mmCIF file of all heavy atoms in Angstrom:
data_model
loop_
_atom_site.group_PDB
_atom_site.id
_atom_site.type_symbol
_atom_site.label_atom_id
_atom_site.label_comp_id
_atom_site.label_asym_id
_atom_site.label_seq_id
_atom_site.Cartn_x
_atom_site.Cartn_y
_atom_site.Cartn_z
ATOM 1 N N GLY A 1 179.531 17.563 106.347
ATOM 2 C CA GLY A 1 178.549 16.532 106.060
ATOM 3 C C GLY A 1 179.195 15.294 105.508
ATOM 4 O O GLY A 1 180.402 15.239 105.314
ATOM 5 N N GLY A 2 178.390 14.295 105.255
ATOM 6 C CA GLY A 2 178.920 13.067 104.698
ATOM 7 C C GLY A 2 177.873 11.982 104.609
ATOM 8 O O GLY A 2 176.695 12.204 104.875
ATOM 9 N N HIS A 3 178.343 10.794 104.255
ATOM 10 C CA HIS A 3 177.455 9.660 104.034
ATOM 11 C C HIS A 3 176.986 9.018 105.330
ATOM 12 O O HIS A 3 177.728 8.933 106.305
ATOM 13 C CB HIS A 3 178.151 8.621 103.151
ATOM 14 C CG HIS A 3 178.235 9.044 101.733
ATOM 15 N ND1 HIS A 3 179.260 9.836 101.255
ATOM 16 C CD2 HIS A 3 177.396 8.823 100.697
ATOM 17 C CE1 HIS A 3 179.054 10.074 99.975
ATOM 18 N NE2 HIS A 3 177.934 9.472 99.608
ATOM 19 N N ARG A 4 175.783 8.566 105.271
ATOM 20 C CA ARG A 4 175.159 7.845 106.367
ATOM 21 C C ARG A 4 175.722 6.424 106.399
ATOM 22 O O ARG A 4 175.864 5.784 105.359
ATOM 23 C CB ARG A 4 173.660 7.829 106.069
ATOM 24 C CG ARG A 4 172.794 7.109 107.021
ATOM 25 C CD ARG A 4 171.373 7.216 106.479
ATOM 26 N NE ARG A 4 170.400 6.654 107.367
ATOM 27 C CZ ARG A 4 169.104 6.709 107.165
ATOM 28 N NH1 ARG A 4 168.619 7.317 106.105
ATOM 29 N NH2 ARG A 4 168.272 6.172 108.020
ATOM 30 N N GLU A 5 176.039 5.934 107.577
ATOM 31 C CA GLU A 5 176.560 4.580 107.720
ATOM 32 C C GLU A 5 175.409 3.591 107.889
ATOM 33 O O GLU A 5 174.291 3.969 108.241
ATOM 34 C CB GLU A 5 177.519 4.513 108.907
ATOM 35 C CG GLU A 5 178.776 5.331 108.654
ATOM 36 C CD GLU A 5 179.758 5.333 109.807
ATOM 37 O OE1 GLU A 5 179.466 4.733 110.865
ATOM 38 O OE2 GLU A 5 180.824 5.941 109.638
ATOM 39 N N GLU A 6 175.695 2.322 107.637
ATOM 40 C CA GLU A 6 174.673 1.283 107.755
ATOM 41 C C GLU A 6 174.083 1.274 109.162
ATOM 42 O O GLU A 6 174.810 1.395 110.146
ATOM 43 C CB GLU A 6 175.303 -0.081 107.438
ATOM 44 C CG GLU A 6 174.268 -1.153 107.188
ATOM 45 C CD GLU A 6 174.895 -2.456 106.743
ATOM 46 O OE1 GLU A 6 176.000 -2.443 106.185
ATOM 47 O OE2 GLU A 6 174.255 -3.494 106.975
ATOM 48 N N ASN A 7 172.772 1.143 109.248
ATOM 49 C CA ASN A 7 172.027 1.106 110.521
ATOM 50 C C ASN A 7 172.141 2.392 111.341
ATOM 51 O O ASN A 7 171.959 2.378 112.549
ATOM 52 C CB ASN A 7 172.461 -0.091 111.378
ATOM 53 C CG ASN A 7 172.181 -1.403 110.683
ATOM 54 O OD1 ASN A 7 171.141 -1.564 110.040
ATOM 55 N ND2 ASN A 7 173.102 -2.336 110.775
ATOM 56 N N GLU A 8 172.446 3.512 110.691
ATOM 57 C CA GLU A 8 172.559 4.801 111.372
ATOM 58 C C GLU A 8 171.381 5.673 110.947
ATOM 59 O O GLU A 8 171.043 5.720 109.767
ATOM 60 C CB GLU A 8 173.887 5.460 110.968
ATOM 61 C CG GLU A 8 174.191 6.768 111.633
ATOM 62 C CD GLU A 8 175.550 7.322 111.220
ATOM 63 O OE1 GLU A 8 175.851 7.370 109.999
ATOM 64 O OE2 GLU A 8 176.320 7.712 112.114
ATOM 65 N N SER A 9 170.764 6.354 111.901
ATOM 66 C CA SER A 9 169.683 7.268 111.528
ATOM 67 C C SER A 9 170.310 8.486 110.844
ATOM 68 O O SER A 9 171.487 8.779 111.042
ATOM 69 C CB SER A 9 168.891 7.709 112.762
ATOM 70 O OG SER A 9 169.626 8.673 113.492
ATOM 71 N N ILE A 10 169.511 9.190 110.072
ATOM 72 C CA ILE A 10 170.039 10.378 109.386
ATOM 73 C C ILE A 10 170.427 11.462 110.397
ATOM 74 O O ILE A 10 171.409 12.167 110.206
ATOM 75 C CB ILE A 10 169.050 10.885 108.300
ATOM 76 C CG1 ILE A 10 169.763 11.807 107.309
ATOM 77 C CG2 ILE A 10 167.828 11.524 108.920
ATOM 78 C CD1 ILE A 10 170.805 11.142 106.444
ATOM 79 N N ASN A 11 169.696 11.558 111.513
ATOM 80 C CA ASN A 11 170.057 12.532 112.561
ATOM 81 C C ASN A 11 171.382 12.163 113.212
ATOM 82 O O ASN A 11 172.209 13.034 113.504
ATOM 83 C CB ASN A 11 168.958 12.614 113.617
ATOM 84 C CG ASN A 11 167.704 13.285 113.093
ATOM 85 O OD1 ASN A 11 167.627 13.687 111.932
ATOM 86 N ND2 ASN A 11 166.701 13.390 113.936
ATOM 87 N N ASP A 12 171.589 10.857 113.463
ATOM 88 C CA ASP A 12 172.856 10.409 114.044
ATOM 89 C C ASP A 12 174.010 10.645 113.075
ATOM 90 O O ASP A 12 175.109 11.000 113.489
ATOM 91 C CB ASP A 12 172.789 8.932 114.444
ATOM 92 C CG ASP A 12 171.907 8.699 115.666
ATOM 93 O OD1 ASP A 12 171.558 9.687 116.364
ATOM 94 O OD2 ASP A 12 171.566 7.531 115.924
ATOM 95 N N ALA A 13 173.751 10.438 111.786
ATOM 96 C CA ALA A 13 174.785 10.700 110.773
ATOM 97 C C ALA A 13 175.176 12.178 110.794
ATOM 98 O O ALA A 13 176.364 12.518 110.735
ATOM 99 C CB ALA A 13 174.290 10.303 109.385
ATOM 100 N N ALA A 14 174.185 13.060 110.897
ATOM 101 C CA ALA A 14 174.464 14.504 110.936
ATOM 102 C C ALA A 14 175.288 14.855 112.173
ATOM 103 O O ALA A 14 176.274 15.602 112.080
ATOM 104 C CB ALA A 14 173.157 15.291 110.922
ATOM 105 N N SER A 15 174.921 14.308 113.328
ATOM 106 C CA SER A 15 175.679 14.586 114.565
ATOM 107 C C SER A 15 177.110 14.087 114.446
ATOM 108 O O SER A 15 178.053 14.791 114.803
ATOM 109 C CB SER A 15 175.013 13.901 115.764
ATOM 110 O OG SER A 15 173.785 14.495 116.043
ATOM 111 N N ARG A 16 177.262 12.870 113.956
ATOM 112 C CA ARG A 16 178.605 12.291 113.821
ATOM 113 C C ARG A 16 179.461 13.099 112.852
ATOM 114 O O ARG A 16 180.608 13.441 113.154
ATOM 115 C CB ARG A 16 178.493 10.831 113.341
ATOM 116 C CG ARG A 16 179.845 10.164 113.113
ATOM 117 C CD ARG A 16 179.704 8.738 112.595
ATOM 118 N NE ARG A 16 178.832 8.603 111.431
ATOM 119 C CZ ARG A 16 179.171 8.970 110.185
ATOM 120 N NH1 ARG A 16 180.360 9.504 109.937
ATOM 121 N NH2 ARG A 16 178.319 8.810 109.184
ATOM 122 N N GLU A 17 178.910 13.427 111.689
ATOM 123 C CA GLU A 17 179.682 14.178 110.690
ATOM 124 C C GLU A 17 180.059 15.569 111.202
ATOM 125 O O GLU A 17 181.179 16.023 110.980
ATOM 126 C CB GLU A 17 178.899 14.290 109.376
ATOM 127 C CG GLU A 17 178.796 12.994 108.608
ATOM 128 C CD GLU A 17 180.107 12.518 107.983
ATOM 129 O OE1 GLU A 17 181.100 13.279 107.952
ATOM 130 O OE2 GLU A 17 180.138 11.366 107.523
ATOM 131 N N LEU A 18 179.144 16.231 111.891
ATOM 132 C CA LEU A 18 179.455 17.563 112.421
ATOM 133 C C LEU A 18 180.603 17.476 113.423
ATOM 134 O O LEU A 18 181.534 18.280 113.383
ATOM 135 C CB LEU A 18 178.220 18.187 113.061
ATOM 136 C CG LEU A 18 178.369 19.628 113.531
ATOM 137 C CD1 LEU A 18 178.749 20.567 112.378
ATOM 138 C CD2 LEU A 18 177.085 20.106 114.191
ATOM 139 N N TYR A 19 180.553 16.488 114.299
ATOM 140 C CA TYR A 19 181.639 16.297 115.270
ATOM 141 C C TYR A 19 182.949 15.932 114.564
ATOM 142 O O TYR A 19 183.994 16.527 114.832
ATOM 143 C CB TYR A 19 181.273 15.203 116.282
ATOM 144 C CG TYR A 19 182.438 14.802 117.132
ATOM 145 C CD1 TYR A 19 182.917 15.659 118.135
ATOM 146 C CD2 TYR A 19 183.105 13.603 116.922
ATOM 147 C CE1 TYR A 19 184.018 15.314 118.905
ATOM 148 C CE2 TYR A 19 184.201 13.249 117.689
ATOM 149 C CZ TYR A 19 184.658 14.107 118.677
ATOM 150 O OH TYR A 19 185.757 13.768 119.425
ATOM 151 N N GLU A 20 182.894 14.959 113.642
ATOM 152 C CA GLU A 20 184.118 14.501 112.976
ATOM 153 C C GLU A 20 184.782 15.603 112.163
ATOM 154 O O GLU A 20 186.007 15.686 112.106
ATOM 155 C CB GLU A 20 183.811 13.318 112.048
ATOM 156 C CG GLU A 20 183.524 12.036 112.768
ATOM 157 C CD GLU A 20 183.185 10.878 111.832
ATOM 158 O OE1 GLU A 20 183.147 11.060 110.592
ATOM 159 O OE2 GLU A 20 182.937 9.784 112.361
ATOM 160 N N GLU A 21 183.985 16.449 111.515
ATOM 161 C CA GLU A 21 184.566 17.423 110.589
ATOM 162 C C GLU A 21 184.886 18.769 111.216
ATOM 163 O O GLU A 21 185.744 19.482 110.711
ATOM 164 C CB GLU A 21 183.658 17.584 109.367
ATOM 165 C CG GLU A 21 183.599 16.286 108.580
ATOM 166 C CD GLU A 21 182.989 16.429 107.208
ATOM 167 O OE1 GLU A 21 182.590 17.540 106.824
ATOM 168 O OE2 GLU A 21 182.921 15.397 106.515
ATOM 169 N N THR A 22 184.190 19.130 112.300
ATOM 170 C CA THR A 22 184.446 20.451 112.898
ATOM 171 C C THR A 22 184.911 20.375 114.346
ATOM 172 O O THR A 22 185.354 21.379 114.888
ATOM 173 C CB THR A 22 183.173 21.328 112.871
ATOM 174 O OG1 THR A 22 182.207 20.763 113.759
ATOM 175 C CG2 THR A 22 182.616 21.459 111.464
ATOM 176 N N GLY A 23 184.762 19.231 114.977
ATOM 177 C CA GLY A 23 185.082 19.131 116.397
ATOM 178 C C GLY A 23 183.987 19.709 117.280
ATOM 179 O O GLY A 23 184.206 19.960 118.464
ATOM 180 N N ALA A 24 182.792 19.910 116.718
ATOM 181 C CA ALA A 24 181.678 20.449 117.501
ATOM 182 C C ALA A 24 181.336 19.472 118.624
ATOM 183 O O ALA A 24 181.072 18.300 118.372
ATOM 184 C CB ALA A 24 180.467 20.677 116.607
ATOM 185 N N THR A 25 181.376 19.956 119.860
ATOM 186 C CA THR A 25 181.108 19.101 121.016
ATOM 187 C C THR A 25 179.762 19.426 121.660
ATOM 188 O O THR A 25 179.171 18.576 122.303
ATOM 189 C CB THR A 25 182.205 19.265 122.084
ATOM 190 O OG1 THR A 25 182.324 20.652 122.405
ATOM 191 C CG2 THR A 25 183.534 18.729 121.572
ATOM 192 N N LYS A 26 179.300 20.654 121.485
ATOM 193 C CA LYS A 26 178.009 21.054 122.038
ATOM 194 C C LYS A 26 177.262 21.793 120.938
ATOM 195 O O LYS A 26 177.712 22.843 120.462
ATOM 196 C CB LYS A 26 178.213 21.949 123.260
ATOM 197 C CG LYS A 26 176.933 22.276 123.978
ATOM 198 C CD LYS A 26 177.171 23.089 125.235
ATOM 199 C CE LYS A 26 175.845 23.351 125.918
ATOM 200 N NZ LYS A 26 175.980 24.309 126.996
ATOM 201 N N PHE A 27 176.125 21.215 120.527
ATOM 202 C CA PHE A 27 175.378 21.804 119.411
ATOM 203 C C PHE A 27 173.948 21.292 119.413
ATOM 204 O O PHE A 27 173.632 20.280 120.015
ATOM 205 C CB PHE A 27 176.032 21.471 118.068
ATOM 206 C CG PHE A 27 176.250 20.011 117.827
ATOM 207 C CD1 PHE A 27 175.262 19.230 117.249
ATOM 208 C CD2 PHE A 27 177.454 19.408 118.163
ATOM 209 C CE1 PHE A 27 175.461 17.879 117.012
ATOM 210 C CE2 PHE A 27 177.672 18.058 117.936
ATOM 211 C CZ PHE A 27 176.671 17.291 117.361
ATOM 212 N N LYS A 28 173.108 22.033 118.717
ATOM 213 C CA LYS A 28 171.718 21.646 118.507
ATOM 214 C C LYS A 28 171.521 21.504 117.004
ATOM 215 O O LYS A 28 171.914 22.385 116.242
ATOM 216 C CB LYS A 28 170.794 22.730 119.069
ATOM 217 C CG LYS A 28 169.335 22.406 118.918
ATOM 218 C CD LYS A 28 168.471 23.534 119.465
ATOM 219 C CE LYS A 28 167.019 23.262 119.102
ATOM 220 N NZ LYS A 28 166.255 24.479 119.005
ATOM 221 N N LEU A 29 170.929 20.388 116.584
ATOM 222 C CA LEU A 29 170.657 20.136 115.165
ATOM 223 C C LEU A 29 169.180 20.329 114.871
ATOM 224 O O LEU A 29 168.333 19.845 115.619
ATOM 225 C CB LEU A 29 170.987 18.688 114.819
ATOM 226 C CG LEU A 29 172.407 18.335 114.439
ATOM 227 C CD1 LEU A 29 172.500 16.841 114.197
ATOM 228 C CD2 LEU A 29 172.876 19.095 113.238
ATOM 229 N N THR A 30 168.883 21.015 113.777
ATOM 230 C CA THR A 30 167.502 21.191 113.347
ATOM 231 C C THR A 30 167.394 20.754 111.889
ATOM 232 O O THR A 30 168.062 21.328 111.021
ATOM 233 C CB THR A 30 167.084 22.675 113.460
ATOM 234 O OG1 THR A 30 167.337 23.123 114.783
ATOM 235 C CG2 THR A 30 165.619 22.857 113.121
ATOM 236 N N PRO A 31 166.578 19.735 111.589
ATOM 237 C CA PRO A 31 166.382 19.343 110.189
ATOM 238 C C PRO A 31 165.679 20.459 109.424
ATOM 239 O O PRO A 31 164.739 21.060 109.941
ATOM 240 C CB PRO A 31 165.493 18.105 110.273
ATOM 241 C CG PRO A 31 165.469 17.698 111.703
ATOM 242 C CD PRO A 31 165.813 18.901 112.507
ATOM 243 N N ILE A 32 166.133 20.738 108.205
ATOM 244 C CA ILE A 32 165.519 21.775 107.366
ATOM 245 C C ILE A 32 164.659 21.143 106.285
ATOM 246 O O ILE A 32 163.481 21.445 106.157
ATOM 247 C CB ILE A 32 166.591 22.674 106.713
ATOM 248 C CG1 ILE A 32 167.385 23.418 107.782
ATOM 249 C CG2 ILE A 32 165.962 23.635 105.718
ATOM 250 C CD1 ILE A 32 168.521 24.257 107.229
ATOM 251 N N CYS A 33 165.270 20.268 105.482
ATOM 252 C CA CYS A 33 164.561 19.662 104.363
ATOM 253 C C CYS A 33 165.387 18.516 103.801
ATOM 254 O O CYS A 33 166.530 18.300 104.198
ATOM 255 C CB CYS A 33 164.306 20.699 103.259
ATOM 256 S SG CYS A 33 165.812 21.344 102.505
ATOM 257 N N VAL A 34 164.798 17.826 102.843
ATOM 258 C CA VAL A 34 165.507 16.812 102.065
ATOM 259 C C VAL A 34 165.839 17.467 100.733
ATOM 260 O O VAL A 34 165.115 18.346 100.264
ATOM 261 C CB VAL A 34 164.609 15.570 101.866
ATOM 262 C CG1 VAL A 34 165.234 14.582 100.887
ATOM 263 C CG2 VAL A 34 164.337 14.910 103.211
ATOM 264 N N TYR A 35 166.953 17.051 100.136
ATOM 265 C CA TYR A 35 167.275 17.581 98.811
ATOM 266 C C TYR A 35 167.880 16.490 97.944
ATOM 267 O O TYR A 35 168.335 15.456 98.434
ATOM 268 C CB TYR A 35 168.209 18.795 98.899
ATOM 269 C CG TYR A 35 169.636 18.461 99.230
ATOM 270 C CD1 TYR A 35 170.600 18.343 98.225
ATOM 271 C CD2 TYR A 35 170.047 18.264 100.542
ATOM 272 C CE1 TYR A 35 171.912 18.034 98.530
ATOM 273 C CE2 TYR A 35 171.352 17.966 100.844
ATOM 274 C CZ TYR A 35 172.282 17.840 99.833
ATOM 275 O OH TYR A 35 173.583 17.533 100.125
ATOM 276 N N SER A 36 167.831 16.722 96.644
ATOM 277 C CA SER A 36 168.472 15.825 95.693
ATOM 278 C C SER A 36 169.202 16.676 94.666
ATOM 279 O O SER A 36 168.917 17.862 94.503
ATOM 280 C CB SER A 36 167.442 14.926 94.998
ATOM 281 O OG SER A 36 166.607 15.695 94.157
ATOM 282 N N VAL A 37 170.149 16.044 94.009
ATOM 283 C CA VAL A 37 170.898 16.712 92.954
ATOM 284 C C VAL A 37 170.733 15.887 91.687
ATOM 285 O O VAL A 37 170.918 14.671 91.703
ATOM 286 C CB VAL A 37 172.393 16.828 93.314
ATOM 287 C CG1 VAL A 37 173.175 17.462 92.182
ATOM 288 C CG2 VAL A 37 172.566 17.637 94.594
ATOM 289 N N GLU A 38 170.323 16.548 90.621
ATOM 290 C CA GLU A 38 170.175 15.880 89.324
ATOM 291 C C GLU A 38 171.227 16.438 88.377
ATOM 292 O O GLU A 38 171.530 17.628 88.405
ATOM 293 C CB GLU A 38 168.800 16.163 88.734
ATOM 294 C CG GLU A 38 167.662 15.497 89.473
ATOM 295 C CD GLU A 38 166.341 15.783 88.794
ATOM 296 O OE1 GLU A 38 166.190 15.434 87.601
ATOM 297 O OE2 GLU A 38 165.483 16.367 89.461
ATOM 298 N N SER A 39 171.760 15.567 87.549
ATOM 299 C CA SER A 39 172.745 15.977 86.563
ATOM 300 C C SER A 39 172.439 15.301 85.244
ATOM 301 O O SER A 39 172.194 14.100 85.210
ATOM 302 C CB SER A 39 174.150 15.580 87.034
ATOM 303 O OG SER A 39 175.076 15.740 85.990
ATOM 304 N N ASP A 40 172.477 16.060 84.165
ATOM 305 C CA ASP A 40 172.278 15.432 82.856
ATOM 306 C C ASP A 40 173.622 15.157 82.187
ATOM 307 O O ASP A 40 173.690 14.762 81.045
ATOM 308 C CB ASP A 40 171.365 16.272 81.960
ATOM 309 C CG ASP A 40 171.906 17.665 81.705
ATOM 310 O OD1 ASP A 40 173.051 17.957 82.086
ATOM 311 O OD2 ASP A 40 171.169 18.475 81.124
ATOM 312 N N GLU A 41 174.717 15.368 82.937
ATOM 313 C CA GLU A 41 176.053 15.140 82.379
ATOM 314 C C GLU A 41 176.469 13.678 82.478
ATOM 315 O O GLU A 41 177.367 13.238 81.793
ATOM 316 C CB GLU A 41 177.083 16.019 83.100
ATOM 317 C CG GLU A 41 176.852 17.491 82.843
ATOM 318 C CD GLU A 41 177.777 18.370 83.655
ATOM 319 O OE1 GLU A 41 178.774 17.874 84.195
ATOM 320 O OE2 GLU A 41 177.482 19.566 83.737
ATOM 321 N N ASN A 42 175.839 12.923 83.359
ATOM 322 C CA ASN A 42 176.211 11.535 83.568
ATOM 323 C C ASN A 42 175.020 10.653 83.217
ATOM 324 O O ASN A 42 174.022 10.640 83.920
ATOM 325 C CB ASN A 42 176.638 11.331 85.033
ATOM 326 C CG ASN A 42 177.100 9.926 85.303
ATOM 327 O OD1 ASN A 42 176.887 9.014 84.509
ATOM 328 N ND2 ASN A 42 177.725 9.737 86.441
ATOM 329 N N ILE A 43 175.128 9.903 82.154
ATOM 330 C CA ILE A 43 174.023 9.072 81.685
ATOM 331 C C ILE A 43 173.660 8.005 82.725
ATOM 332 O O ILE A 43 172.508 7.627 82.864
ATOM 333 C CB ILE A 43 174.381 8.421 80.326
ATOM 334 C CG1 ILE A 43 174.458 9.527 79.275
ATOM 335 C CG2 ILE A 43 173.373 7.356 79.936
ATOM 336 C CD1 ILE A 43 175.055 9.112 77.971
ATOM 337 N N ASN A 44 174.631 7.533 83.491
ATOM 338 C CA ASN A 44 174.388 6.497 84.497
ATOM 339 C C ASN A 44 174.002 7.086 85.845
ATOM 340 O O ASN A 44 174.029 6.398 86.848
ATOM 341 C CB ASN A 44 175.635 5.628 84.672
ATOM 342 C CG ASN A 44 175.983 4.908 83.390
ATOM 343 O OD1 ASN A 44 175.101 4.417 82.696
ATOM 344 N ND2 ASN A 44 177.254 4.857 83.068
#
C-alpha cells in the first residue's frame, strides 16, 4: 500500500501500489472499508 498521488482516485492508487510493490499484473480489487488510526502519543 501507499499514499495516493494528486488527482488519483483511491482505486487507482490501490492498483498502482499493488503493482509497484508486488509486481501483480493480473488482479481484482475489492474495496472493504475506510479506516483511520488515532494516536494519543503525538500531540500534533
Side-chain angles (χ1 to χ4, degrees):
H3 286 86
R4 178 181 185 175
E5 293 179 357
E6 195 174 335
N7 298 320
E8 183 178 49
S9 76
I10 198 67
N11 290 1
D12 288 346
S15 292
R16 177 182 51 75
E17 289 290 349
L18 186 59
Y19 170 73
E20 287 178 359
E21 295 193 0
T22 68
T25 54
K26 186 176 181 190
F27 54 88
K28 181 181 171 207
L29 274 178
T30 306
I32 297 176
C33 64
V34 172
Y35 75 97
S36 68
V37 177
E38 290 182 59
S39 169
D40 59 8
E41 294 174 15
N42 183 346
I43 292 168
N44 298 319

